[in-house]
Amino acid sequence: MNQNWHGILIRHMVLLLGTCLLLGLFTGHYGLCLAIGLALYLAYTLKQLLRLHLWLRDQKPDQAPPEGVGLWGDVFDSIYTLQRRDQRVRARLQAVIDRIQESTAALRDAVVMLDSDGNLEWWNPAAQLLLGLKTPQDSGQPVTNLVRHPRFKEYFAHGNYADPLEIPSPVNDKVRLQLLITRYGNNEHLLLVRDMTRLHQLEQMRKDFIANVSHELRTPLTVITGYLETLLDNGDDLPTRWQRPLQQMQTQGERMQTLLNDLLLLAKLEATDYPSESHPVAIDHLLRTIKGDARALSGTRNQTITLEADPTLHLKGSEPELRSAFSNLVFNAVKYTPDGGQIHVRWWHDAQGAHLSVQDSGIGIEAKHIPRLTERFYRVDSSRSSNTGGTGLGLAIVKHVLLRHRGRLEISSVPNRGSTFTCHFPQQQIATQLEAYSPEEG
Ligand code: ADP
């Protein structure tokens, strides 16, 4: 109530009481006059209230308020002004919403708004095209009922949306989609979906090209190294000046064969998301054989190789792939640790899952190289690596094998002190005792 209203109210009361008193003076019935005066005032007030109620109830857009005098005129005008202001704000907001909806409707990427439980709230037309969402039937449905790919279910449940996910479209499996979830507001989710088919095809062409070239090169190389071997087997008949070049050709030929094998293995690993076979693998046994091979590789270099492995801990996955990954890590430790150094391999589990660490007291790696080590052909020091006979693909293979086993690689290293390569596997990847000793396992 504003200042004026106080004055007007006091004036009204004074006028009413004054009139009643004056009438009482003439008639001599003060009480009656006062009662009649108040009753009339009450009736007037009720009438105005009724007019206000009828106006508010049956109001049409832009309909002017009822005419009123004094206080009631003020009340009507104030409500009308507030209503107009509210309408203007609403129109502005509606215009903003319309523009946002128009722009998201024009987007070629799908935008889907989900509530905190993952139920669909709103989506743009591109989401109907890419994900096959139907308006309005699918509103309120859990997103995992509509995008049923197992990897999406896993990704959504995991709750870690730092990296996008690539899956085939539920509508057409030739279309490849990239999905990215962002959390906003009150734990609601915003799902962005992009058509990656073209990029995926290019990537596929690159993989196929490498796989085909490696495959095609293998046969001529086998013939060349075969002849070289035969020639060197009869080395005594050869002129001495040919012996060294032929030996070098054989070494380089073997290097090329290892390289092609690694390239083919990488191509195979990239072809599918998860290993086709997923049997319980006895990692302690696997590590014991790798340790034997590592000793052979170490030869007379006097390195101490120790192994500490939980024999009851089995991992679901592919034995050859895991063997390839773990042996790459252990052989690297042997290659990059000076004579007399220590290498410790440990296989254990805790609440987070299963872990394999390979720790060495070797040359170590500078921090700036660590994020790039798993890139193909990335080497810290290419001259040293070619001396050790490495292909530069070892850690890329490790990374892919781990991805296919839902694992991840952690690298920590101090130059000149040593490195630790740790593979972390989630709980779901650990084989239970029942699986581990299932009849198929034999
Ligand atoms: P390479 O065949 O050259 O060993 P990798 O992919 O296995 O290729 O390793 C990439 C690079 O990482 C190596 O060239 C080497 O510089 C570095 N590296 C790998 N393992 C170790 C280690 N245990 N200690 C020090 N450096 C390492």
Side-chain angles (χ1 to χ4, degrees), residues 224-245:
I224 295 170
T225 47
Y227 277 124
L228 281 172
E229 212 178 303
T230 322
L231 278 173
L232 282 167
D233 280 349
N234 307 307
D236 300 341
D237 306 339
L238 288 172
T240 25
R241 65 190 177 101
W242 277 105
Q243 283 189 358
R244 213 175 109 73

Side-chain angles (χ1 to χ4, degrees), residues 6 36 85 99 106 114 169 185 201 345 359 408:
H6 271 114
I36 293 171
R85 196 184 305 160
R99 282 192 58 155
L114 309 168
S169 158
Q201 279 168 349
V345 182
Q359 190 179 10
R408 70 184 168 86

Side-chain angles (χ1 to χ4, degrees), residues 328-329 332-337 360 362-365 373-375 378-381 385-386 388-396 413 419 421:
N328 261 310
L329 292 178
N332 271 353
V334 173
K335 286 192 288 185
Y336 299 105
T337 300
D360 63 53
I363 58 172
I365 308 154
L373 284 186
T374 53
E375 286 174 22
Y378 186 84
R379 276 128 166 204
V380 173
D381 178 350
S385 292
S386 46
T388 58
T391 59
L393 294 173
L395 291 181
S413 186
S419 320
F421 288 74

Side-chain angles (χ1 to χ4, degrees), residues 150-221:
R151 290 197 56 206
F152 178 72
K153 287 190 172 186
E154 207 175 282
Y155 176 72
F156 191 78
H158 195 259
N160 175 13
Y161 309 130
D163 295 319
L165 171 76
E166 249 194 69
I167 52 165
S169 158
V171 189
N172 174 359
D173 56 7
K174 289 198 182 69
V175 174
R176 195 81 187 172
L177 300 179
Q178 187 189 63
L179 289 87
L180 182 68
I181 296 180
T182 315
R183 283 210 180 87
Y184 72 97
N186 206 4
N187 204 23
E188 284 108 333
H189 304 72
L190 187 72
L191 171 65
L192 299 173
V193 186
R194 175 175 284 185
D195 185 346
M196 301 290 282
T197 316
R198 174 106 190 94
L199 261 179
H200 184 73
Q201 279 168 349
L202 285 174
E203 178 75 355
Q204 199 55 45
M205 273 163 66
R206 178 193 64 78
K207 287 178 193 169
D208 290 349
F209 176 76
I210 296 178
N212 291 339
V213 168
S214 315
H215 192 75
E216 292 302 322
L217 283 176
R218 222 157 55 156
T219 322
L221 195 63

Side-chain angles (χ1 to χ4, degrees), residues 93-107 111 113 121-125:
L93 269 176
Q94 191 56 49
V96 173
I97 292 173
D98 287 349
R99 282 192 58 155
I100 292 176
Q101 287 204 336
E102 271 166 32
S103 53
T104 46
L107 272 181
V111 183
M113 284 164 86
E121 277 189 333
W122 177 88
W123 55 93
N124 68 346

